[in-house]
Amino acid sequence: MGLRTDIGLQHPTIRGTTETYADNLDIDVLIVGAGFGGVYLLHKLRDELGYNCKIYEAGKVLGGIWHWNCYPGARTDSPVPLYEYSIEKVWRNWTWEEKYPTFPELRRYFEHVDKQLDVKKDVAFNTEVVSAQFDKESSRWIVKTADGRTARAKYLIIAIGFAAKRHFPDWKGLDTFEGVIHHSSFWPEEGVDIKGKRIAVVGTGATGVQIAQECAPEAAELTVFQRTPNLALPMQQRKLTKEEQDSQKDTYPQIYQDRLKTFGGFQYDFIKKRTFDDSPEEREAFYEKMWQEGGFKSWIGTYDDMLYEEGPNREAYNFWAKKTRARIHDPEKKDLLAPLEPPHAFGTKRPSLEQNYYEQFNRPNVHIVDIKKNPITEVKPKGIVTADGKLHEVDIVALATGFDTATGGMKNMGLKDINGVDLAEAWKEGMWSYLGMTCHNYPNMFFLYGPQAFCNGPSCVEFQTAWIMSALTKLAREHRTSINATRAAEEAWKEKVVKLNEAALFKGTDS
């Protein structure tokens, strides 16, 4: 089965017949992407500020990442109600099934959002943007789509997120594989029959963890190809009842205010205490409490020096390793999955959340290959070859090889500045932005949840949307036609980002 690599291949000519799909569309705001960010922007700019807004969405339904992600085990790793909109008419009459929803439930949530906010009437689905440039004479963005339409808009807002550009390995022979092979975000809607099959999972980020723990019980053999151990934390997933949620909904407005004030956009933050202010017994009890509460608390709800100093960081890692190694029986697998020496500073790579990932490796049919020491060299019709010459025969390959999370898909949209320079060229030696939301020489263009801005998704997009709304309101009030970040502002912002990064332990960790 051929490997799909392009979002534009599946629906190249299908389009609606409403005014939203018209050629030569002329509007106030064009938003690209109908996920959490794009839908929220549309609602706020259209319904509160009165702008004529449309969304161009490459997929066929609302949801963004939750339209594309339908691989086995796909779910959010932010808990509800933090992973939802703060819009009362949306949350007031919505009930979740689980603390960490799966992709089918998130798709139902977006259907509910549409019923409440009437979003779809202003969305052009199956619409891929291939070029966009600001026209100085008319002060409008000229945007072109893959099927030949043109739109003109005063403001262009990119809301495609950080996971819009998939990463595909360049292994020799990848196209010769005779079995089933899919990138995780191009997993087929109809699913893949995994029962009794030999499965390779390449990659151990959040996606690889979820696929492996979901498929292992049904697979004949499952082999995880790991470059770097994922220092995954316990999700502590559980079912939710309507009664439980209804009893807490009066607290939601405060929760949504509080999540905008924390490091990660969650309801909790680092505690105002240093690691070694506590005795060893107190530390152990605190670590255990965070562990049992689950989620990212062991990462960004812990001591406030954990991400900044080596000693406190190692204490946190030692606790993680002790708890995790106790769950793995085989000594060799134990050392690969949870080594005694940390592969990098704890928490400087975003940890994933897991439910029973490590226990899967106690199954005799689940294997792990260290591709840092024994890399994949090529793919053959029957499977994957590693540097030691071994052919790992498999029926299904799941490429959990991730995304370009630094620039997302922005460099692949044909975005050009006022001088005709493509963004891919401008960012060739590194990306530049102001506040992680706009760029020099890209007037009236903003972007959400993209470069230099990353936290719990809904928290991030609501905070950034508020800033964009205030900027547009100021422009209208002062009768200005455009806004353009200065190069000096970009340089100052980059200096601030670098300074914050270098103050922590991130600088010693490879991506």
Side-chain angles (χ1 to χ4, degrees):
M1 183 179 294
L3 175 63
R4 183 182 175 199
T5 61
D6 185 350
I7 62 172
L9 292 180
Q10 192 172 24
H11 305 290
T13 59
I14 303 170
R15 71 162 89 149
T17 57
T18 66
E19 178 253 351
T20 302
Y21 292 85
D23 192 13
N24 295 313
L25 190 66
D26 200 324
I27 53 176
D28 297 326
V29 183
L30 179 62
I31 300 162
V32 183
F36 265 104
V39 169
Y40 188 75
L41 272 165
L42 179 76
H43 164 62
K44 300 295 279 189
L45 297 180
R46 181 193 68 185
D47 301 338
E48 294 189 13
L49 296 188
Y51 284 104
N52 180 6
C53 305
K54 303 293 181 185
I55 297 178
Y56 278 176
E57 165 57 46
K60 60 185 179 181
V61 295
L62 300 179
I65 193 72
W66 301 113
H67 160 57
W68 299 106
N69 277 357
C70 58
Y71 60 82
R75 69 175 66 245
T76 176
D77 51 15
S78 292
V80 296
L82 293 167
Y83 198 74
E84 59 182 296
Y85 291 128
S86 66
I87 305 163
E88 183 168 358
K89 68 177 179 178
V90 174
W91 57 255
R92 180 63 71 180
N93 60 348
W94 174 258
T95 302
W96 295 99
E97 296 174 4
E98 294 182 302
K99 185 176 181 181
Y100 295 89
T102 61
F103 76 87
E105 188 173 12
L106 285 157
R107 290 180 176 185
R108 293 193 295 273
Y109 174 71
F110 274 96
E111 286 297 316
H112 168 73
V113 169
D114 180 52
K115 289 176 183 176
Q116 302 301 313
L117 305 181
D118 199 13
V119 175
K120 288 182 184 176
K121 69 177 183 181
D122 288 316
V123 182
F125 295 105
N126 303 306
T127 299
E128 182 185 359
V129 171
V130 294
S131 74
Q133 185 172 3
F134 187 77
D135 177 57
K136 288 186 280 188
E137 187 175 338
S138 63
S139 293
R140 300 186 84 73
W141 277 91
I142 312 300
V143 180
K144 296 186 181 298
T145 66
D147 62 0
R149 282 172 286 154
T150 299
R152 293 169 177 80
K154 184 173 182 180
Y155 300 107
L156 176 66
I157 308 181
I158 312 300
I160 58 175
F162 71 89
K165 182 184 176 185
R166 289 85 176 160
H167 174 70
F168 293 91
D170 58 358
W171 303 320
K172 175 185 173 185
L174 188 62
D175 59 349
T176 68
F177 182 61
E178 293 177 350
V180 176
I181 182 168
H182 296 293
H183 190 280
S184 58
S185 74
F186 285 144
W187 205 262
E189 285 284 335
E190 66 274 15
V192 175
D193 181 12
I194 63 172
K195 193 172 181 65
K197 299 296 194 329
R198 299 166 300 174
I199 303 172
V201 179
V202 184
T204 53
T207 300
V209 167
Q210 290 178 336
I211 293 175
Q213 70 184 5
E214 190 77 12
C215 293
E218 292 192 72
E221 301 283 333
L222 185 138
T223 303
V224 173
F225 291 82
Q226 171 186 282
R227 184 183 66 167
T228 305
N230 190 323
L231 311 186
L233 298 169
M235 178 176 278
Q236 305 296 15
Q237 172 71 299
R238 65 183 181 85
K239 298 291 184 182
L240 299 175
T241 66
K242 184 178 188 304
E243 292 72 24
E244 176 187 5
Q245 291 170 77
D246 286 346
S247 70
Q248 298 171 352
K249 284 187 173 178
D250 286 344
T251 68
Y252 281 15
Q254 188 62 51
I255 289 173
Y256 295 134
Q257 288 182 37
D258 291 345
R259 73 178 178 181
L260 300 178
K261 303 171 186 175
T262 64
F263 180 86
F266 293 97
Q267 197 177 354
Y268 49 83
D269 212 340
F270 295 101
I271 65 168
K272 302 300 181 186
K273 182 185 282 191
R274 297 172 62 81
T275 300
F276 295 114
D277 288 346
D278 277 346
S279 68
E281 295 76 18
E282 289 169 331
R283 276 198 306 277
E284 184 79 6
F286 176 70
Y287 286 148
E288 184 65 31
K289 179 176 182 288
M290 296 297 99
W291 189 268
Q292 294 303 325
E293 290 179 1
F296 291 128
K297 286 196 171 182
S298 294
W299 176 35
I300 51 178
T302 186
Y303 297 105
D304 62 6
D305 56 357
M306 191 276 286
L307 286 176
Y308 296 90
E309 298 179 22
E310 291 182 3
N313 189 274
R314 184 58 185 261
E315 283 290 300
Y317 179 81
N318 288 346
F319 180 84
W320 176 88
K322 179 182 69 173
K323 295 288 287 189
T324 304
R325 289 172 66 87
R327 298 163 59 187
I328 307 164
H329 300 162
D330 180 86
E332 186 176 345
K333 291 179 181 178
K334 187 177 297 196
D335 287 340
L336 285 173
L337 293 161
L340 291 172
E341 287 297 315
H344 51 78
F346 184 69
T348 55
K349 282 192 174 186
R350 180 188 181 281
S352 302
L353 298 187
E354 54 82 29
Q355 298 178 74
N356 54 11
Y357 175 65
Y358 296 103
E359 284 77 7
Q360 302 308 319
F361 292 91
N362 296 329
R363 297 175 179 271
N365 66 320
V366 178
H367 319 288
I368 183 168
V369 176
D370 181 358
I371 58 173
K372 181 170 278 188
K373 291 184 178 178
N374 187 24
I376 294 171
T377 57
E378 65 177 309
V379 176
K380 291 196 170 181
K382 299 299 181 185
I384 294 172
V385 180
T386 44
D388 60 2
K390 181 177 179 179
L391 171 64
H392 303 263
E393 293 194 10
V394 294
D395 306 305
I396 300 169
V397 176
L399 294 175
T401 46
F403 306 86
D404 174 3
T405 56
T407 61
M410 287 179 63
K411 292 197 299 185
N412 296 79
M413 294 175 60
L415 294 172
K416 289 182 170 57
D417 71 9
I418 55 176
N419 300 311
V421 178
D422 195 284
L423 186 67
E425 179 65 24
W427 283 359
K428 188 168 62 175
E429 303 300 327
M431 66 85 50
W432 294 83
S433 81
Y434 176 56
L435 302 180
M437 283 189 279
T438 188
C439 300
H440 175 55
N441 279 346
Y442 289 81
N444 291 5
M445 186 188 84
F446 307 94
F447 45 90
L448 292 186
Y449 205 43
Q452 300 177 335
F454 181 68
C455 70
N456 174 43
S459 305
C460 189
V461 300
E462 293 198 6
F463 191 88
Q464 291 180 316
T465 295
W467 187 88
I468 292 170
M469 291 174 70
S470 68
L472 300 195
T473 300
K474 178 179 173 64
L475 286 170
R477 186 174 62 245
E478 298 179 1
H479 306 290
R480 297 177 182 269
T481 58
S482 65
I483 182 172
N484 185 15
T486 65
R487 181 62 174 179
E490 285 188 325
E491 290 171 351
W493 176 249
K494 188 162 192 173
E495 182 181 350
K496 183 171 186 175
V497 171
V498 170
K499 185 179 291 186
L500 288 170
N501 185 69
E502 290 184 345
L505 299 172
F506 295 106
K507 61 184 181 292
T509 300
D510 294 332
S511 64

